[in-house]
């Protein structure tokens, strides 16, 4: 706790938060939970993609990440191109000024060091570089906490990500492949640890016990077009993913299984609409989740989940529902292996409805066993994250950590 003559620590939260991605907002929720429990005196605000949504939902002050509001739209007109270029210069000044006002800045989880989905170097990678460079310049400790990383082919993006990681005061990763990717990019990861995704620290819901009869199936969908290196094949990949998913849902309906469509980002809405239109059955319904808690409630209410988005997978695994992953990056394979379901993966780029149905049936046959496995793995994940939060205290709040240690010694 802060004494009366001490200035409260100023903590900034940075990222594409409040922008419609439930997983990103769940990571923010997890870090705020840690700060409010361990550092209630901290003054917290955010530099983020959707400041209005963050301020309303989480009750903290928030500032827009980019000066130019059309940052993530393709600029084609001369005026938009000029405004976008000017925005880069303005953002450098705005970011530096914001960082300078803080003692600590936390980047909570998210795949900030990867380009597994389409990404331009002068968008978020540039913003992250400005953050980390400003932190080094002004002595503000920048922490990349349980973040995702992956090999990056585009040279400018790779350079910005590499320097961002090098300039951060603290780094931890949500899986071993992420740490390996940064090491391969030339970052010294000797002192970097691997912990589970931050959202595993959120409150856990109890799942309903299956009746023994075939029950509802959750299908988590995504507006998937491949990754940064798949731009030339983006539409082909999307069409194959959508056709395969529709075929799988149709097969479940023909067997009389209710299907609940789940998404984790506002951009997934067209995919949900396409499936509802193609299958056209009262057995197929859409779940409109506004938070990860809502998504977990939906996952807990079904017998089995088949999902694509990374945090859809986490929600299903966290509530103990047997899950089959449509994987598009190493992070999904690593997550499934971590939770004991590594054999239940299917490539999102090549969805085969018949093969997917076979894997689904094999998963359901082991449902009871896998639920026990997930219970055990979730306990381990929570314990590992508790250890990380203790490590954060030492790395980011040394004064508070010293006071806590002194108090513990006094009590003995």
């Amino acid at each position: 706790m802060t004494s009366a003559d001490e200035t409260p620590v100023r903590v900034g939260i940075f990222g594409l938060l409040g922008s419609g991605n439930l997983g990103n907002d769940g990571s923010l929720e997890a870090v705020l939970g840690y700060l409010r429990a361990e550092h209630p005196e901290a003054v917290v605000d955010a530099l983020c993609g959707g400041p209005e949504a963050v301020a309303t939902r989480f009750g903290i002050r928030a500032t827009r990440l980019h000066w130019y509001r059309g940052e993530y739209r393709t600029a084609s007109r001369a005026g938009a191109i000029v405004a976008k270029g000017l925005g880069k210069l303005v953002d450098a000044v705005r970011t530096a000024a914001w960082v300078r006002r803080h003692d600590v800045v936390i980047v909570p989880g998210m795949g900030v060091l990867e380009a597994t989905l389409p990404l331009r170097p002068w968008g978020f990678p540039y913003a992250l570089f400005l953050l980390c460079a400003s932190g080094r310049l002004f002595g503000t400790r920048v922490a990349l906490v349980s973040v995702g990383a992956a090999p990056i082919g585009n040279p400018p993006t790779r350079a910005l990500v590499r320097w961002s990681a090098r300039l951060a005061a603290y780094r931890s990763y949500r899986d071993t492949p992420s740490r390996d990717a940064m090491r391969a990019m030339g970052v010294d990861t000797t002192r970097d640890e691997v912990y589970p995704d931050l959202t595993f620290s959120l409150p856990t819901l109890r799942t309903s016990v299956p009746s023994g009869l075939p029950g509802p199936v959750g299908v988590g969908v995504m507006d998937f077009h491949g990754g940064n290196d798949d731009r030339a094949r983006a539409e082909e990949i999307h069409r194959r993913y959508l056709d395969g998913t529709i075929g799988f849902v149709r097969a479940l309906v023909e067997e009389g299984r209710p299907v609940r469509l789940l998404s984790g980002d506002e951009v997934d809405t067209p995919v949900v609409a396409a499936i509802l239109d193609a299958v056209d059955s009262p057995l197929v319904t859409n779940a409109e989740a506004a938070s990860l808690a809502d998504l977990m409630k939906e996952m807990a209410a079904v017998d089995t989940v088949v999902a694509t988005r990374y945090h859809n997978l986490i929600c299903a695994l966290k509530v103990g529902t047997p899950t089959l992953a449509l994987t598009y990056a190493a992070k999904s394979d690593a997550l499934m292996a971590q939770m004991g379901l590594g054999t239940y993966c299917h490539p999102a780029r090549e969805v085969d409805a018949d093969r997917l149905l076979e894997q689904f049936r094999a998963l359901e046959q082991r449902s009871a066993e896998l639920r026990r496995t997930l219970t055990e793995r979730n306990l381990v994940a929570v314990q590992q994250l508790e250890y990380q939060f203790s490590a954060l205290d030492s790395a980011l709040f040394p004064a508070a950590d010293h006071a806590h240690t002194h108090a513990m010694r006094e009590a003995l």
Side-chain angles (χ1 to χ4, degrees):
M1 295 294 292
T2 303
S3 63
D5 59 347
E6 289 181 333
T7 302
V9 64
R10 299 161 299 176
V11 181
I13 310 292
F14 179 93
L16 291 176
L17 309 163
S19 301
N21 184 290
L22 301 185
N24 290 0
D25 289 356
S27 297
L28 168 60
E29 183 179 353
V31 165
L32 287 177
Y34 152 68
L35 290 172
R36 287 165 176 165
E38 301 299 327
H39 302 279
E41 78 287 352
V43 178
V44 182
D45 73 315
L47 185 63
C48 58
E52 297 86 359
V54 167
T56 299
R57 181 179 170 196
F58 297 104
I60 61 174
R61 291 179 56 194
T63 303
R64 187 173 298 280
L65 179 59
H66 299 289
W67 172 78
Y68 179 57
R69 291 176 178 261
E71 174 61 38
Y72 294 103
R73 295 194 297 268
T74 301
S76 55
R77 296 182 178 180
I81 294 172
V82 170
K84 206 167 191 178
L86 177 61
K88 302 305 174 189
L89 299 176
V90 175
D91 285 345
V93 176
R94 291 175 70 252
T95 301
W98 182 81
V99 170
R100 191 174 187 176
R101 294 196 298 268
H102 296 82
D103 301 299
V104 172
V105 173
I106 297 175
V107 181
M110 305 176 286
V112 298
L113 302 177
E114 64 182 52
T116 52
L117 297 175
L119 182 71
R120 299 293 187 188
W122 305 116
F124 188 79
Y126 174 70
L128 183 66
F129 170 75
L130 290 179
L131 171 80
C132 296
S134 298
R136 181 62 65 93
L137 178 64
F138 297 118
T140 300
R141 296 181 292 277
V142 175
L144 310 180
V145 183
S146 283
V147 298
I152 298 174
N154 180 270
T157 303
R158 185 171 61 248
L160 288 167
V161 164
R162 179 173 61 245
W163 276 106
S164 296
R166 285 176 173 174
L167 292 168
Y170 174 93
R171 295 182 300 268
S172 66
Y173 307 97
R174 62 190 179 189
D175 51 52
T176 301
S178 291
R179 184 171 61 182
D180 292 345
M182 295 314 298
R183 183 184 297 122
M185 281 189 229
V187 176
D188 181 2
T189 61
T190 305
R191 300 171 61 186
D192 299 354
E193 298 291 343
V194 173
Y195 299 100
D197 189 271
L198 287 169
T199 51
F200 277 105
S201 70
L202 294 174
T204 301
L205 300 170
R206 292 184 178 273
T207 58
S208 57
V209 179
S211 64
L213 299 173
V217 179
V219 177
V221 302
M222 180 177 178
D223 186 29
F224 181 64
H225 292 77
N228 226 33
D229 298 329
D230 298 318
R231 290 180 181 273
R233 300 176 51 234
E235 286 309 311
E236 173 194 341
I237 289 171
H238 179 67
R239 188 72 253 171
R240 184 162 188 172
Y241 169 81
L242 186 58
D243 288 346
T245 304
I246 288 171
F248 175 69
V249 170
R250 186 175 285 128
L252 292 176
V253 168
E254 289 173 354
E255 294 179 358
R257 300 289 293 270
V259 175
R260 194 78 164 140
L261 298 179
L262 309 156
S263 62
D265 197 300
E266 293 172 355
V267 300
D268 301 330
T269 302
V271 178
V272 171
I275 295 172
L276 289 171
D277 183 62
V279 180
D280 191 23
S281 167
L283 288 175
V284 184
T285 55
N286 176 37
E288 297 183 0
S291 67
L292 277 197
D294 291 344
L295 203 51
M296 281 190 269
K297 289 178 184 176
E298 294 286 349
M299 301 290 193
V302 298
D303 283 3
T304 313
V305 168
V306 178
T308 311
R309 277 199 179 275
Y310 183 74
H311 280 96
N312 277 18
L313 294 173
I314 287 182
C315 285
L317 297 168
K318 183 170 170 53
V319 300
T321 301
T323 303
L324 198 162
L326 295 178
T327 62
Y328 61 88
K331 62 184 178 183
S332 300
D333 295 285
L335 172 65
M336 294 296 285
Q338 170 195 332
M339 299 304 288
L341 280 77
T343 58
Y344 299 104
C345 296
H346 189 98
R349 286 174 175 80
E350 301 176 0
V351 179
D352 181 312
D354 293 335
R355 173 61 183 146
L356 186 59
L357 197 59
E358 289 178 11
Q359 290 179 285
F360 171 79
R361 287 169 176 157
L363 175 72
E364 290 212 311
Q365 287 178 354
R366 295 182 59 201
S367 178
E369 173 193 348
L370 294 175
R371 285 178 181 272
R372 290 192 294 271
T373 297
L374 288 174
T375 298
E376 296 167 0
R377 299 297 174 95
N378 273 298
L379 288 174
V380 172
V382 170
Q383 291 168 354
Q384 290 174 330
L385 284 171
E386 288 175 352
Y387 183 82
Q388 166 157 240
F389 290 141
S390 295
L392 276 180
D393 282 343
S394 299
L396 303 183
F397 307 98
D401 185 59
H402 174 75
H404 176 72
T405 302
H406 179 72
M408 291 292 290
R409 288 173 177 169
E410 289 290 320
L412 294 175

